[in-house]
Amino acid sequence: MSNIVYEGVNWNKPSSELAQVFWDQQWKQIWFPEEIAVSKDIQQWKSFEHQGTYKKVFAGLTLLDTVQTNIGMNRVAAYTDDLQEKAVLTVFDAFEAIHAKSYSYIFTTLCTNKEIDELFEWIKKNEFLQYKANKIADIYTSIKESDNESLWKAMFASVMLESFLFYSGFFYPLYLGGQGVLRNSAEIISLILRDESIHGVAVGFFAQGIFSKFDTEKQDELKVWGYELLLDLYQNEMKYTDDIYAETGLSPDVKAYVRYNANKALMNLGLDTMFPDEEVNPIVMNGIRNEGSTYDFFSQKGATYAKAKVVPISDDTFDFSNLN
Ligand SMILES: [Fe+2]
Ligand SMILES: [Fe+2]
C-alpha cells in the first residue's frame, strides 16, 4: 500500500488567482442541447443546399470534443497540482462531454440513421481530421508526473484545439445562423463557443503561470516548439478547410477566420500573434460579438435559448407510467 498524504481541496483560502472566477462563470453558463429547439430547423434543412458540408463540419467537431473530453481536459486536470485549478478543469471536462453529445442531438434531429452511421465512419477516414486529433492527443498523452514542461505543452495544445482548431467548424453554423439559416443549430454552436472562450482563457492563464517559472532559455525553446506546432496544425487546417468546404466556395473566408483565431489562441497563452490582421467575414464576427469573444466571456445565454422550467422533485418525478 502506498503511503501518500492526500490533501483535501480547500476553497476557504485562494490558492489560485482566478480559479473561483472560472468556476463561477462556467457554472453560470450551464446548458443542455435538449433545451434548444433544433427541430425548428427541420423545414429549412430539407431544402438546404450543402447538407454534406454541414454534416461534416459537425462530425469533425464531434471528434475534437470527444478527444478533449476523454484525453485533453482529463489529463491536464490529472497532472495539475493546484487542487482548485484541478477542480475547475474537471468541471470544464464535464462541459466537453456535453459539447460532444450536442452534435449527436443535432444529427438525430436532422439526419437519418444511415446518414449518421456514414458520418461516424467518415470521422475515422478523414486524414486531415485524424491528423489533428493524433497530433494533439499525442501531446496530451506525453505529460509526465511532476514535469511542468510536458504539462505546459499539453496546455498549449489544449488552447490550440479550443481557441484555434474548432473555428474552421464553428464558422459555418455562425455564418448561416447570422443570415437566419438553421438558426437553432447555430445557437448550440454559440453556446459551445462561449464555453470554449472560458476554457481558452483559463487554460491559457494557467499555462502562463507555469511558463513564468521557466528560465529565459527554456522559455525560448518552448516558444519555438509552440510556433512550430501551430504552423504544422495550420497547414493541416488549410487542407481540412479546402476538403470540407470545397462545394460552398467559402474556403477563403474560413481560412481568414482560422488565422484570426490562431492569433487569439496565442494571445490566450501570453505569446505574440503570428498572422497579420485581416478582415474576417462580418456576419461571423457579429455572431461572436453577440455571444462573447475571448475577452468578453461574461455574457448571457443566447437569444433563442429557452431554459426548461425546473420542477421540484416529488413522487410524480419517479412515475414513468405515462411513458410507453
Ligand atoms: Fe468543447
Ligand atoms: Fe473546451
Side-chain angles (χ1 to χ4, degrees), residues 9-302:
V9 58
N10 183 0
W11 285 95
N12 296 294
K13 50 181 177 187
S15 63
S16 166
E17 209 179 324
L18 289 176
Q20 184 73 53
V21 174
F22 294 134
W23 171 282
D24 290 345
Q25 186 57 36
Q26 178 69 91
W27 283 119
K28 243 183 256 172
Q29 292 184 185
I30 192 163
W31 63 280
F32 297 100
E34 294 78 9
E35 294 163 339
I36 314 294
V38 175
S39 58
K40 287 185 184 163
D41 287 347
I42 293 174
Q43 206 52 40
Q44 278 184 331
W45 176 254
K46 285 180 186 162
S47 57
F48 181 65
E49 197 185 349
H50 300 299
Q51 288 189 357
T53 300
Y54 201 81
K55 288 187 289 186
K56 284 176 188 170
V57 159
F58 284 70
L61 292 170
T62 303
L63 182 69
L64 300 188
D65 266 317
T66 306
V67 167
Q68 192 66 350
T69 309
N70 298 331
I71 311 173
M73 279 299 171
N74 187 310
R75 297 216 174 208
V76 171
Y79 290 96
T80 292
D81 287 333
D82 183 277
L83 294 177
Q84 291 181 9
E85 291 181 8
K86 195 192 275 286
V88 167
L89 292 161
T90 304
V91 173
F92 287 175
D93 200 8
F95 279 78
E96 299 306 342
I98 295 174
H99 299 169
K101 191 169 184 287
S102 65
Y103 310 111
S104 285
Y105 174 62
I106 296 172
F107 292 145
T108 205
T109 309
L110 301 179
C111 305
T112 64
N113 287 340
K114 184 170 173 284
E115 286 177 298
I116 295 170
D117 289 346
E118 283 166 4
L119 273 179
F120 281 88
E121 283 305 309
W122 176 84
I123 288 174
K124 291 191 277 183
K125 287 187 193 123
N126 186 277
E127 58 175 311
F128 309 119
L129 187 54
Q130 288 295 328
Y131 182 88
K132 55 181 159 176
N134 272 278
K135 196 88 195 170
I136 298 285
D138 280 354
I139 300 165
Y140 290 154
T141 53
S142 301
I143 312 176
K144 294 192 282 282
E145 196 70 54
S146 307
D147 174 45
N148 273 342
E149 188 175 330
S150 58
L151 179 61
W152 180 84
K153 285 181 175 176
M155 288 178 167
F156 185 98
S158 179
V159 174
M160 288 300 118
L161 185 74
E162 303 198 310
S163 304
F164 162 35
L165 300 180
F166 268 113
Y167 287 80
S168 57
F170 289 163
F171 178 94
Y172 203 31
L174 293 177
Y175 174 78
L176 293 167
Q179 300 169 86
V181 177
L182 304 170
R183 275 195 65 210
N184 293 282
S185 308
E187 182 70 28
I188 289 194
I189 295 306
S190 73
L191 291 164
I192 294 174
L193 190 153
R194 194 185 51 174
D195 290 338
E196 299 307 357
S197 295
I198 308 185
H199 301 174
V201 171
V203 176
F205 178 80
F206 298 154
Q208 288 186 51
I210 294 173
F211 193 79
S212 66
K213 295 188 191 106
F214 296 129
D215 60 34
T216 319
E217 202 180 329
K218 178 57 74 184
Q219 287 184 346
D220 289 343
E221 180 196 318
L222 290 174
K223 276 188 217 168
V224 171
W225 176 90
Y227 284 106
E228 279 177 359
L229 174 67
L230 189 148
L231 259 184
D232 187 307
L233 292 167
Y234 171 71
Q235 278 154 4
N236 181 67
E237 208 57 18
M238 296 298 99
K239 294 180 209 157
Y240 180 68
T241 300
D242 281 334
D243 185 31
I244 60 173
Y245 285 93
E247 62 173 55
T248 64
L250 287 168
S251 281
D253 283 25
V254 180
K255 289 175 179 177
Y257 188 51
V258 165
R259 284 188 288 272
Y260 168 83
N261 284 290
N263 280 343
K264 292 230 293 197
L266 288 165
M267 288 157 83
N268 283 342
L269 288 154
L271 299 172
D272 293 336
T273 58
M274 188 167 186
F275 299 103
D277 285 345
E278 63 189 309
E279 207 176 318
V280 172
N281 189 300
I283 300 168
V284 172
M285 288 307 286
N286 283 338
I288 312 170
R289 250 179 240 124
N290 292 337
E291 300 306 338
S293 66
T294 309
Y295 300 103
D296 174 30
F297 57 83
F298 297 97
S299 63
Q300 300 300 308
K301 282 183 175 170

